Amino acid sequence: MKLRSTFSNLLLAAAVLVPSACGQTLPPEPYGPVPSERQLAWHELESYAFICITTNTFNDLEWGYGDADPDIFNPSGFDPEQWMPLLKEAGLKGVVLTCKHHDGFCLWPSAYTDYSVKSSAWKDGKGDFVGDVAKAAQKYGMKFGVYLSPWDRHDLRYGSPAYIEYYRDQMRELLTNYGPVFEVWEDGANGGDGYYGGACEKRRIDGRTYYDWPNTNALVHELQPDACIFSDAGPDVRWCGNESGYVGETNWGKMVRADFAPGVYDVDILNGGDENGTDWVPAEVDVSIRPGWFWHESENSEVKSPECLLDIYYSSVGRGANLILNIPPDNRGLFCDEDVRSLEGFAELLKKEFGNCVNGGIKKAEASQVRGGSRTYSARQVLDEDHETYWTTEDGTTSASLTFTFRQPTTVNRAMLREYLPLGQRIASFNIEAQDESGAWKEVAAATTIGHKRLLRFDDVTATALRINILDAKACPVISDVKFYKSGN
Ligand code: FUL
């Protein structure tokens, strides 16, 4: 059923007032915290690119000290239109750019500092790297997001209240002048030694209090209501707790937001969420296609293989998280050949992986139980292409099954499931069984949580029918989509 369509809301209201008047079966109540509209839109993106470039790209550093001569920033062959089609082909839906990294150098001509492209050789100080990337993204139908490092190793004011004003002024520039922004990255890496306007010392800040995040975040949401804010503590999206490309095999989209702050967290909860969490704060997996976040010639031979990227895809998107894959442009401002080959290979693998859906061969979809016996909640609802319709059961049912019978024996080796998140995340454990021509059932895959999406790989099995058994759930299961594939990989 379309929970959020006006028509069904009217029906719903009528059913609440006169429960038996039209025999309408009410949907389950939401269970636990549910995503906001901006989070729901973010879930649909699933994967996008990180673009890390700054002075580090030109002086071979990962964390610039903040004292680099701005003149070294000179990506002479810069062309974001080289990046966009490659990213798009690999299924990535947007880009998040390091507008300012820890070195403090700004890729746009900020009115609040000279430590920016204004003072670099690039385009004689007249360029706006952020503007060019935002424009190219828009041209290719890609979303645009900004990374504005809270830690600034260049600026003299870092550590004092004046710096917070500076940070907010810059946030205002980025969120006002470059069109719609889908995500704002607030990195947790913080404090330590730096140039700090020539002081060259170690500065420590209190991660819980110094930045006054509630007020900065209110500004972000005021200027860009659709932007999801990423940090160790959300509020919209949480860090997954590592930079190696995986979220927990069990991954709940919830946590207790008030327990955390950027730089103040529990890694296990970041990685797997909290099944009893009170706030919807789903995980984002940040990982680089290279060992480092920035381009280094010496790492050209260490670009991750397409197969490795596919594994990362399964352990991020395939476990209900979003993936932000970093592809750092080189000192020309272009993706270099090694990265291009890997991205192209990854795009090919994804096509083979999910290009052959076998759902068309399903003759019958049945459920062990259907809420109110209503067609609105029947097993068929998981097979339409509509994410807003779903199968569900009576309240209190925490184990149930869906059976799909093929017209003829069909070979399958991949599965995709989605829960209907507007009603909350519920499923804690399930498996998939296949029936052979003798009628015998055998387990082919098993996993724990589903959330936005679960992808499963298993050996080829030729089945007359497939059965999904929900083995444990926090409340009655609500599944919006099921797809089976025969991958060619
Ligand atoms: C980390 C930073 O310290 C790295 O330099 C990079 O920006 C990465 C995305 O986040 O915490």
Side-chain angles (χ1 to χ4, degrees), residues 85-101:
L86 290 163
L87 301 175
K88 210 171 172 167
E89 198 54 25
L92 302 164
K93 304 285 190 327
V95 292
V96 175
L97 175 67
T98 51
C99 300
K100 179 183 89 168
H101 199 251

Side-chain angles (χ1 to χ4, degrees), residues 50 52 62-63 98 101-102 147 185 187-189 243 286 293-294:
F50 223 144
C52 290
E62 273 292 304
W63 278 8
T98 51
H101 199 251
H102 310 328
Y147 170 114
W185 242 74
D187 198 322
E243 294 181 335
D286 59 318
W293 289 100
F294 292 89

Side-chain angles (χ1 to χ4, degrees), residues 399-460:
S399 59
S401 63
L402 284 170
T403 306
F404 306 95
T405 308
F406 290 108
R407 267 180 221 101
Q408 57 197 53
T410 302
T411 304
V412 181
N413 55 16
R414 305 286 186 264
M416 184 283 289
L417 293 90
R418 280 174 61 143
E419 276 183 271
Y420 184 65
L421 292 185
L423 293 181
Q425 190 179 354
R426 297 152 173 259
I427 294 166
S429 163
F430 71 99
N431 73 1
I432 302 179
E433 295 176 298
Q435 185 181 44
D436 66 21
E437 284 181 272
S438 76
W441 289 94
K442 151 177 142 213
E443 180 179 286
V444 294
T448 54
T449 49
I450 298 176
H452 170 72
K453 184 172 268 191
R454 170 64 81 158
L455 295 169
L456 293 166
R457 294 191 265 199
F458 45 92
D459 291 340
D460 284 11

Side-chain angles (χ1 to χ4, degrees), residues 89-91 310 313 345-355 489:
E89 198 54 25
L310 185 64
Y313 186 80
F346 176 50
E348 273 308 301
L349 287 182
L350 281 178
K351 261 181 230 133
K352 284 203 216 148
E353 205 63 8
F354 305 112
N489 287 320

Side-chain angles (χ1 to χ4, degrees), residues 55-67:
T55 56
N56 297 348
T57 311
F58 301 86
N59 58 10
D60 212 17
L61 292 175
E62 273 292 304
W63 278 8
Y65 188 70
D67 62 347

